[in-house]
Amino acid sequence: MENLNWLAVGVGTIGAFILGMLWFSPILFGKGWSTGSHNIQPPESPPIAAMVIQFLGTFALAMVVGLTETTGDLLTAIMAILATALFVAGMDLFSQKTGKATAIDAGYVVAGGAIMIIAQGIF
């Protein structure tokens, strides 16, 4: 932990979280995700508990990426990101989301993980 690049972890966390807001908005994939997710509609007020949990999960994954960077083991970070994406995809398919919505959910995990890896490389 002493060699952890906290700036890169923070930037990766915030970057991936902001990507999520765009990813699931009508600007990018929000409509397709909503349709494929049993026509779920945005709530009238922000879902604070869901956003806090999402932020904590994003931070935890950024920590995994940061910790693997300290040991020079990028493959472990990539495998953790892919494993997380596969868990999300499996849960989506169990809840009978469409393939498109599942790909959007799992794709966000991969794209967010890429941001975290890039943050480690830049900072």
Side-chain angles (χ1 to χ4, degrees):
M1 292 282 281
E2 65 189 42
N3 294 329
L4 189 66
N5 183 340
W6 287 103
L7 176 61
V9 169
V11 169
T13 300
I14 292 167
F17 191 78
I18 290 170
L19 175 66
M21 289 189 290
L22 292 170
W23 194 270
F24 294 100
S25 76
I27 295 170
L28 291 178
F29 306 111
K31 279 188 160 181
W33 177 83
S34 174
T35 301
S37 301
H38 311 290
N39 287 313
I40 190 169
Q41 297 301 311
E44 291 182 25
S45 61
I48 300 301
M51 292 175 73
V52 167
I53 290 169
Q54 183 67 31
F55 187 83
L56 291 173
T58 303
F59 175 71
L61 190 55
M63 286 285 295
V64 169
V65 171
L67 289 169
T68 62
E69 193 280 330
T70 65
T71 62
D73 195 5
L74 181 61
L75 183 59
T76 299
I78 292 169
M79 292 308 297
I81 291 163
L82 292 177
T84 304
L86 290 170
F87 274 120
V88 167
M91 288 185 290
D92 279 9
L93 293 173
F94 265 108
S95 67
Q96 299 180 348
K97 287 187 177 184
T98 65
K100 182 176 184 177
T102 299
I104 290 168
D105 280 340
Y108 165 66
V109 173
V110 172
I115 287 174
M116 295 168 191
I117 290 171
I118 291 168
Q120 288 293 326
I122 292 174
F123 298 100

